[in-house]
Amino acid sequence: MQAAIRFFRKVLRPVDQAAIYSVSSVATLEQPLTNDVRALMQTIEHFGKPEGATALLDAIGRAAAYLGPHEGRKVIVIVSDGVDTVSNLDFDTTLQRAFAADCQIYAVQTGYTDNANLRELTAERRLQVFTAQTGGAVYVPAVPSDLDAAFAQVAADLAQQYVLSYYAKDDPHDGCFRTISLSVTTRSNLRVRSRKGYYSPKG
């Protein structure tokens, strides 16, 4: 909890806003968008111990729908092991909603273990695909004390991004998905993270 609080303190500028969802058998908007860091801190501090079922995909889908109408950069930060047990949304629909809302997804993966027999590999893969497809990343703290470093890396990524745009000459505005690819031709040793596509507006 304290690592998340420090993350908000470090990342939020006066022009930024953040919201918080809790995830159990249902996804609940605990704190609507605000730039009040104290309100965000109090929301996190009142969270109890996670228990019961997990509707992670529903939470991502709801967060994307909530952020969609807002202008500017939209980022979803997931703090989870990636396991989902009761969502109504499936993976593909959830990813489509994230793309449609122009959301970038980061994940701080909890519950990591070196024992492959105890790891939820499907859940881990789900987080990896969500983040890779939307231009984010997964950070995996090996022990709870590494949470600060994981959140610090997310904060550093958000502070060091470039916004690129282009206009397609022959876009039929049919609402279909367009795949895009970004590379830096002058620096072959660089690894570029960017979203893998977007939905063309209908018109």
Side-chain angles (χ1 to χ4, degrees), residues 15-200:
V15 296
D16 295 329
Q17 291 185 308
I20 297 175
Y21 279 82
S22 64
V23 184
S24 56
S25 57
V26 295
T28 304
L29 178 60
E30 301 287 354
Q31 171 59 59
L33 282 170
T34 181
N35 60 5
D36 186 343
V37 176
R38 182 177 296 276
L40 295 165
M41 291 168 51
Q42 291 174 343
T43 300
I44 294 173
E45 289 169 345
H46 282 91
F47 277 177
K49 183 179 179 180
E51 58 183 20
T54 306
L56 178 61
L57 296 180
D58 286 351
I60 298 170
R62 290 188 181 185
Y66 181 63
L67 294 175
H70 296 275
E71 297 293 332
R73 183 172 58 172
K74 288 163 278 193
V75 178
I76 296 174
V77 179
I78 303 168
V79 183
S80 171
D81 58 7
V83 173
D84 187 293
T85 57
V86 295
S87 283
N88 293 310
L89 294 178
D90 60 25
F91 176 83
D92 289 337
T93 302
T94 306
L95 182 58
Q96 288 172 6
R97 293 191 179 185
F99 272 128
D102 196 19
C103 290
Q104 186 178 19
I105 298 178
Y106 281 86
V108 176
Q109 181 186 318
T110 59
Y112 178 79
T113 174
D114 289 327
N115 189 338
N117 293 323
L118 300 177
R119 289 166 61 182
E120 296 282 355
L121 298 181
T122 299
E124 291 181 15
R125 179 60 180 163
R126 180 183 294 128
L127 293 179
Q128 291 166 1
V129 174
F130 271 135
T131 56
Q133 289 292 313
T134 61
V138 180
Y139 294 103
V140 187
V143 293
S145 59
D146 289 342
L147 276 170
D148 270 316
F151 278 110
Q153 187 60 62
V154 175
D157 282 3
L158 295 177
Q160 299 172 15
Q161 292 181 341
Y162 292 90
V163 178
L164 304 178
S165 61
Y166 77 98
Y167 294 93
K169 295 180 179 179
D170 56 351
D171 191 340
H173 294 277
D174 54 8
C176 292
F177 189 75
R178 304 282 189 271
T179 300
I180 57 176
S181 176
L182 179 65
S183 61
V184 179
T185 58
T186 57
R187 298 281 299 276
S188 60
N189 60 325
L190 291 182
R191 183 169 63 90
V192 178
R193 286 203 309 263
S194 66
R195 62 181 304 162
K196 306 305 181 186
Y198 66 96
Y199 279 95
S200 172

